[in-house]
Amino acid sequence: MFEVQAYSGSKQESYEQLLKQLDSLLEGEDSVVANLANASALLNQFLDQVNWVGFYTMDNGELVLGPFQGLPACVKIPNGKGVCGTATEKRATQLVPDVHQFPGHIACDAQSQSEIVVPIIQNEEIFGVLDIDAPVKERFDETDRHYLEQFVETLKKHL
Ligand code: SME
């Protein structure tokens, strides 16, 4: 049974605990869907002030909705479209302080005010993205970017 952990210390220390927790949670499991589902659930209970946490995976050149926590969302996102498609096209994390200022942002949940999308790249190929939405502006900072990129690096060992 999953034990809810009390994260302690600084934001950095809490994220370090989260990374270890992710690694042990996914250890020995080779189901990609199960691992993405548990990774989204783990992140959702770790992060405060978020309204959507989940994955899109690349399928025939477009991003398709994968395991997530939150309201039902758009199913397909073409490469280059929205924040997610921009992250895959540019192969770079997109940290968006205000989604209303991001040209082409795709609104799946009207609550969303800020967003971070981390591309998941394996052997030079785009596997998909980690997408997190927040109901407040400027929810994510450079510490979040650093550790969410580390979160994706740890997750990749289990995909
Ligand atoms: N806002 C995203 C779409 C996905 S939802 O946030 C879950 C985008 O612009 O790509």
Side-chain angles (χ1 to χ4, degrees):
M1 189 178 70
F2 180 77
E3 301 278 343
V4 176
Q5 185 175 324
Y7 301 98
S8 56
S10 65
K11 181 168 172 171
Q12 284 84 347
E13 285 163 343
S14 295
Y15 263 120
E16 295 287 351
Q17 292 162 39
L18 177 77
L19 295 179
K20 290 198 184 89
Q21 208 183 3
L22 177 69
D23 210 21
S24 59
L25 180 66
L26 305 187
E27 186 59 42
E29 179 52 65
D30 61 6
S31 163
V32 170
V33 171
N35 287 346
L36 293 177
N38 269 335
S40 66
L42 182 69
L43 257 186
N44 193 50
Q45 59 89 50
F46 172 80
L47 294 169
D48 59 7
Q49 292 194 297
V50 297
N51 57 297
W52 202 93
V53 178
F55 297 94
Y56 282 84
T57 58
M58 194 55 89
D59 187 1
N60 279 326
E62 61 185 352
L63 289 165
V64 178
L65 184 63
F68 68 95
Q69 308 270 306
L71 290 181
C74 341
V75 173
K76 291 183 175 165
I77 301 176
N79 199 30
K81 300 291 181 195
V83 185
C84 293
T86 302
T88 55
E89 189 177 60
K90 295 191 171 166
R91 294 178 168 245
T93 297
Q94 302 298 302
L95 200 166
V96 182
D98 179 355
V99 295
H100 305 295
Q101 305 299 322
F102 188 96
H105 166 256
I106 301 165
C108 293
D109 182 340
Q111 265 198 301
S112 301
Q113 301 286 329
S114 58
E115 181 165 6
I116 187 166
V117 178
V118 181
I120 306 171
I121 303 169
Q122 276 191 317
N123 306 319
E124 309 285 309
E125 300 274 313
I126 303 280
F127 170 87
V129 297
L130 165 63
D131 180 16
I132 307 173
D133 287 15
V136 291
K137 290 191 173 71
E138 299 179 7
R139 163 64 183 80
F140 307 101
D141 61 15
E142 288 302 322
T143 302
D144 295 301
R145 178 207 295 267
H146 172 76
Y147 281 105
L148 292 169
E149 288 177 349
Q150 293 302 307
F151 188 91
V152 162
E153 286 308 304
T154 303
L155 174 64
K156 276 162 55 175
K157 297 196 291 175
H158 303 280
L159 296 178

